[in-house]
Amino acid sequence: MSINQLGVIGLGTMGANLARNAARNGAKVAVFNRTTEVMHDFVKEYGKEGMFVPCKTYEELVRSLDTPRAILLMVKAGSAVDAVLEDLLPHLSEGDIIIDGGNSHYPDTERRYAVLKERGIRFLGMGVSGGEEGALMGPSMMPGGDKSAWDDMKDLLEKMAADDGLGGKCVSYIGEGGSGHFVKMVHNGIEYGVMQLIAESYDIMKNLGGYSNKDLAETFAHWNEGDDLNSFLVEITAKIFTKADDQGGGELIDKIKDAAGQKGTGKWTTEAAMDLGVAIPTINAAVDARILSGDLKKREARSEDQFPVELDEHRPDIKPHRLRTQVRSALECSIICTHNQGFQLIEWGSDEYGWNINLAEVARIWRGGCIIRSKLLGKFQRACDPGTQAPEKEILDRFSGERQTDWRHVVRVASVNGIPIPAIGISLSYYDTIRRERLPQNLIQAQRDLFGAHTFERTDKAGTFHADWE
């Protein structure tokens, strides 16, 4: 069955634009908002775009839809979702579909999926990425949960989704339970990492290379033209440096406080990686950097007398044009590391929870619509496809030759000049760690065995051993 109608609860920016998107694609859309005035204003402004049915109550909304009904929740993640479900459920019938399109935590989605399944209600936890414009013009959508619900909603969701550039659409069934929201959570973790890497690249070029905002705009615009860094985030970065401050002179970027906010998905990604035992150091560094940036009062109170900076008088000279090329290499290599960490986390999560997630499909549906869309994802799509010959070579080749030496030079130059680059620096350490045949953790295991008899394994024979260190 193909369902071509949709109820939408929650007409904030994302909810309103998804409702308009569905209506523009031929669906009948029943709309409800807790504040009725918001619903009336929505219908008044956008009513000519499609078939909208204004609803003042959940009962009205349910009555306006044919069975099986499909209702999209676009409310704040957490207790608000549970509250809406509790009020909505008495009006639903067996076989109806509820889609949670917010940024819900995947364990909550797992719980709701199980509870609603017992009630005969089909549930999809669907990650949606693309921001305000994407929600209207075509987002990337990551639905997980009841497979039959996906089958019924597939046609409409594909019409609403962004194009993937390959003749397909940026939506695909992820797996059961909370898999869709898990994948969206990791998407946001990668987003944190890439944004921090871009910010560090900007910091180096501005404060060591002496680049003006005009220079930076031209640099990022040029980088966005290449296959290595072509992406939505690099594209918008170039635009940001051209924005004039309409409340004063100069560019707006220089008047924005250097304290980055977060809504929790980065923290959830870090927590999930810790629980699953997956190393995602670049993403963790990005989360930490936002936390540290928010400590404005303490940073402003710390003088150089309290925190002296000793710079090497023999530090290398900065050649701005050469530095730009080196930063480009460091940024590309670090972004690849960030994506690798994210895909590994999805793989481990899929194995742990039995979701059977297709990593190549995840890369494909991220190629359009979403915030981290980039040409790099095409390489990851091919690398994750088990049918591809030498799947990792296309990515591993990017770490060879001058790009890697440039990366190492950027880390050194930033360090000796007192410029913090937690994400670029840890990305290089991550790369050096995963390529090493032998790491110094043999010493840690020896220490654990000495003070706690935790045992160790040997390189020359099988088994578990304990030494009499005394």
Side-chain angles (χ1 to χ4, degrees):
M1 175 182 293
S2 179
I3 296 176
N4 199 40
Q5 57 177 356
L6 188 66
V8 178
I9 295 176
L11 295 173
T13 301
M14 290 294 289
N17 281 354
L18 285 171
R20 294 171 63 196
N21 185 335
R24 287 177 172 189
N25 281 287
K28 180 177 85 170
V29 182
V31 292
F32 170 89
N33 196 80
R34 185 178 58 179
T35 305
T36 304
E37 185 180 354
V38 171
M39 180 269 294
H40 285 309
D41 289 344
F42 171 85
V43 174
K44 183 178 179 181
E45 186 168 358
Y46 304 114
K48 294 182 180 179
E49 293 185 356
M51 187 187 302
F52 293 109
V53 181
C55 303
K56 297 179 182 178
T57 66
Y58 292 144
E59 186 177 5
E60 277 186 45
L61 182 134
V62 170
R63 279 205 317 262
S64 70
L65 300 170
D66 299 327
T67 57
R69 308 171 183 91
I71 299 174
L72 173 66
L73 308 187
M74 293 302 298
V75 299
K76 187 176 180 181
S79 59
V81 177
D82 291 318
V84 171
L85 288 174
E86 184 177 351
D87 292 340
L88 184 62
L89 276 173
H91 305 289
L92 298 180
S93 304
E94 186 173 345
D96 285 347
I97 298 168
I98 294 178
I99 307 168
D100 177 7
N103 267 333
S104 288
H105 200 192
Y106 75 94
D108 290 336
T109 304
E110 288 269 294
R111 169 177 55 81
R112 292 166 186 147
Y113 170 73
V115 169
L116 291 172
K117 189 174 183 179
E118 291 181 358
R119 301 279 294 270
I121 303 300
R122 297 180 289 168
F123 186 67
L124 289 173
M126 186 172 73
V128 180
S129 178
E132 180 179 350
E133 182 179 354
L136 179 63
M137 305 306 296
S140 172
M141 294 182 281
M142 298 146 255
D146 191 293
K147 177 63 164 56
S148 70
W150 157 252
D151 291 337
D152 287 353
M153 297 303 302
K154 180 180 177 182
D155 289 347
L156 175 58
L157 293 177
E158 285 186 340
K159 290 176 185 176
M160 294 172 62
D163 295 330
D164 66 0
L166 303 170
K169 304 293 283 189
C170 291
V171 60
S172 185
Y173 179 70
I174 301 298
E176 294 188 351
S179 59
H181 278 139
F182 185 91
V183 167
K184 175 55 163 56
M185 175 195 73
V186 176
H187 165 285
N188 285 20
I190 295 172
E191 178 184 310
Y192 271 56
V194 174
M195 291 173 72
Q196 177 64 26
L197 292 167
I198 292 173
E200 291 174 15
S201 301
Y202 145 67
D203 194 13
I204 293 168
M205 289 190 290
K206 185 177 183 68
N207 291 297
L208 292 184
Y211 279 63
S212 67
N213 290 330
K214 182 176 182 293
D215 296 333
L216 290 164
E218 292 172 352
T219 295
F220 280 98
H222 175 65
W223 286 356
N224 192 54
E225 294 172 358
D227 287 346
D228 53 345
L229 292 176
N230 177 269
S231 66
F232 172 72
L233 286 171
V234 170
E235 176 188 343
I236 65 169
T237 299
K239 293 178 181 178
I240 285 169
F241 290 114
T242 66
K243 176 66 175 176
D245 179 14
D246 59 7
Q247 298 182 33
E251 286 78 37
L252 180 59
I253 183 65
D254 296 324
K255 308 293 174 58
I256 298 174
K257 279 190 176 182
D258 56 331
Q262 54 183 316
K263 292 186 176 180
T265 47
K267 172 190 168 186
W268 291 346
T269 310
T270 292
E271 291 173 342
M274 292 292 181
D275 290 341
L276 292 166
V278 181
I280 54 166
T282 308
I283 296 171
N284 292 341
V287 174
D288 286 343
R290 292 199 188 189
I291 294 170
L292 286 166
S293 76
D295 196 6
L296 279 171
K297 289 185 179 179
K298 287 186 178 179
R299 284 198 289 121
E300 290 169 357
R302 290 168 184 153
S303 66
E304 288 193 9
D305 292 336
Q306 294 172 300
F307 291 83
V309 179
E310 302 294 344
L311 300 180
D312 184 354
E313 62 182 28
H314 301 298
R315 59 190 184 276
D317 293 334
I318 302 296
K319 299 177 180 178
H321 186 74
R322 178 65 182 138
L323 180 67
R324 180 173 63 178
T325 300
Q326 292 164 334
V327 170
R328 179 176 186 161
S329 296
L331 180 58
E332 181 195 3
C333 291
S334 299
I335 287 175
I336 292 173
C337 288
T338 308
H339 282 70
N340 191 68
Q341 293 162 29
F343 277 99
Q344 186 174 30
L345 180 55
I346 293 173
E347 182 179 18
W348 283 51
S350 177
D351 291 344
E352 175 70 18
Y353 299 116
W355 289 329
N356 196 31
I357 296 174
N358 185 328
L359 296 180
E361 267 293 273
V362 171
R364 183 189 68 78
I365 66 174
W366 284 351
R367 292 182 65 164
C370 73
I371 302 301
I372 64 169
R373 60 185 184 265
S374 67
K375 286 194 175 180
L376 173 63
L377 284 162
K379 295 183 175 68
F380 271 90
Q381 181 185 352
R382 292 185 287 274
C384 293
D385 185 345
T388 305
Q389 296 294 320
E392 295 182 342
K393 188 176 186 303
E394 186 178 7
I395 292 174
L396 292 176
D397 282 350
R398 304 305 298 174
F399 294 104
S400 62
E402 201 167 86
R403 275 184 297 274
Q404 188 178 140
T405 57
D406 284 347
W407 190 12
R408 296 185 186 282
H409 180 77
V410 166
V411 171
R412 176 171 179 259
V413 165
S415 176
V416 298
N417 283 281
I419 301 292
I421 50 166
I424 292 176
I426 201 64
S427 296
L428 179 58
S429 292
Y430 170 80
Y431 174 78
D432 281 335
T433 298
I434 62 175
R435 70 166 182 81
R436 284 279 297 274
E437 184 177 348
R438 188 163 171 80
L439 297 168
Q441 275 65 33
N442 56 322
L443 176 58
I444 293 174
Q445 203 59 20
Q447 292 169 332
R448 295 180 73 242
D449 188 56
L450 187 153
F451 68 67
H454 292 292
T455 72
F456 55 88
E457 296 179 74
R458 297 178 60 96
T459 59
D460 55 352
K461 59 183 69 175
T464 301
F465 299 87
H466 167 61
D468 182 2
W469 296 97
E470 298 302 328

